[in-house]
Amino acid sequence: MVPIVLSIVSALSMVPDKAFSRSYTYFIDIRDETLEMSLRFVAVHMICAYLYTFPCIIAVMCSVIYHEFSQLLDRFHDSLKRHCSSLSRNKILQHMKMHTALFKLAHHVQDTLSSPCFFLLCTQLTVMFYTIAVFVLKKYETIPVALICRALMILLMAPTSVIAVVLYATRINACCEKIETEMKLLNDKLIVRGLCDEDTLCYLNSMNEKQFPVMSACGVTELKPNVTLGMFGSLFSYSLLILNLKN
């Protein structure tokens, strides 16, 4: 809703004679004001959809899937902690089967969302770099309202979408670590109590050997909080570089 409102305000606020406004009609000389306004309106919404709305839809989709999967992992961890404390062979066998299913699902989630997350990070980072460059390098006597609307969309949507995806992916990684820790504690508990049942040990070892994948963006970078810190740090450094070049 926010992008649509800002796009409408941006399109309606453009001054026809300005170069910035004419760029939305590809500098075509159109004498019909209604047609010119319509073309600008369509161009603004197409740019908004491609640069802002579509990446944010991808971010919401990835965040929801990561959130739901992290909920499954969290429930499994609670169940493992609650039901396997008795070290019952049947309980551990049931949880081993659930662990295997979650292990397969984790790989499916990683394989499916890896490329969209990489696209999202690249797109949002590029858009933020571009916005900084436009504001720093170009000199405006009065900043166009359309440019302000675009900047607002970027400031509202780009960082939020990246942070949301990274936080939910981080939650998955944290849940996986808790599960691994709990299984190792169960293994130690079994040995300390002297209940070295061969089948039970086999079940626990089977679960311990399976390493859940770390959520990443095409294997280029892991989706952890340091990714967002690195992104915003690079944006800050890039801004200083542009300012130095300008001066």
Side-chain angles (χ1 to χ4, degrees):
M1 191 65 185
V2 173
I4 295 173
V5 173
L6 290 175
S7 297
I8 293 171
V9 173
S10 175
L12 294 176
S13 63
M14 289 183 183
V15 180
D17 297 333
K18 297 289 185 180
F20 180 80
S21 301
R22 293 187 63 207
S23 66
Y24 283 89
T25 58
Y26 305 100
F27 295 97
I28 299 172
D29 189 15
I30 301 172
R31 296 181 181 180
D32 189 338
E33 292 184 3
T34 305
L35 179 59
E36 185 179 3
M37 173 65 76
S38 300
L39 286 175
R40 277 204 308 270
F41 192 79
V42 171
V44 168
H45 277 79
M46 287 178 64
I47 292 170
C48 173
Y50 175 72
L51 289 179
Y52 315 117
T53 307
F54 183 58
C56 286
I57 290 172
I58 292 177
V60 170
M61 177 194 72
C62 293
S63 298
V64 169
I65 294 173
Y66 282 147
H67 172 70
E68 292 300 319
F69 184 57
S70 68
Q71 289 288 92
L72 289 176
L73 291 173
D74 198 42
R75 288 173 197 155
F76 175 76
H77 172 258
D78 291 340
S79 178
L80 188 69
K81 193 173 183 179
R82 186 169 58 253
H83 294 119
C84 291
S85 57
S86 62
L87 300 175
S88 167
R89 180 193 301 178
N90 292 332
K91 289 288 184 183
I92 294 178
L93 176 59
Q94 291 173 10
H95 283 77
M96 188 196 76
K97 292 177 180 178
M98 287 190 286
H99 183 270
T100 302
L102 289 172
F103 178 75
K104 292 178 181 177
L105 184 57
H107 280 279
H108 285 310
V109 170
Q110 165 60 14
D111 294 340
T112 304
L113 298 186
S114 179
S115 297
C117 286
F118 182 72
F119 164 80
L120 176 71
L121 292 177
C122 292
T123 303
Q124 302 299 62
L125 191 60
T126 303
V127 167
M128 287 188 281
F129 277 144
Y130 169 76
T131 304
I132 291 171
V134 167
F135 266 100
V136 173
L137 293 179
K138 288 193 176 183
K139 295 181 179 179
Y140 296 100
E141 293 180 2
T142 56
I143 300 175
V145 176
L147 193 58
I148 295 173
C149 290
R150 182 192 294 179
L152 283 174
M153 280 191 280
I154 293 167
L155 291 174
L156 287 172
M157 300 170 70
T160 306
S161 60
V162 172
I163 291 170
V165 170
V166 170
L167 285 180
Y168 283 118
T170 301
R171 190 180 177 193
I172 290 176
N173 299 330
C175 288
C176 291
E177 289 177 3
K178 287 195 295 184
I179 290 170
E180 290 175 8
T181 302
E182 189 62 34
M183 289 188 301
K184 288 174 182 176
L185 291 174
L186 282 172
N187 202 353
D188 292 343
K189 192 175 180 181
L190 186 69
I191 294 171
V192 168
R193 289 190 180 182
L195 303 172
C196 296
D197 181 86
E198 186 176 346
D199 291 336
T200 306
L201 279 174
C202 182
Y203 300 152
L204 286 172
N205 288 333
S206 176
M207 288 191 284
N208 281 321
E209 287 172 2
K210 295 185 182 76
Q211 296 293 322
F212 281 86
V214 177
M215 298 297 112
S216 67
C218 280
V220 176
T221 181
E222 295 179 351
L223 297 176
K224 294 182 177 180
N226 56 4
V227 172
T228 54
L229 293 176
M231 283 182 63
F232 295 126
S234 63
L235 283 170
F236 179 72
S237 302
Y238 181 71
S239 304
L240 294 178
L241 176 62
I242 292 177
L243 284 172
N244 289 331
L245 291 174
K246 185 179 178 181
N247 297 330

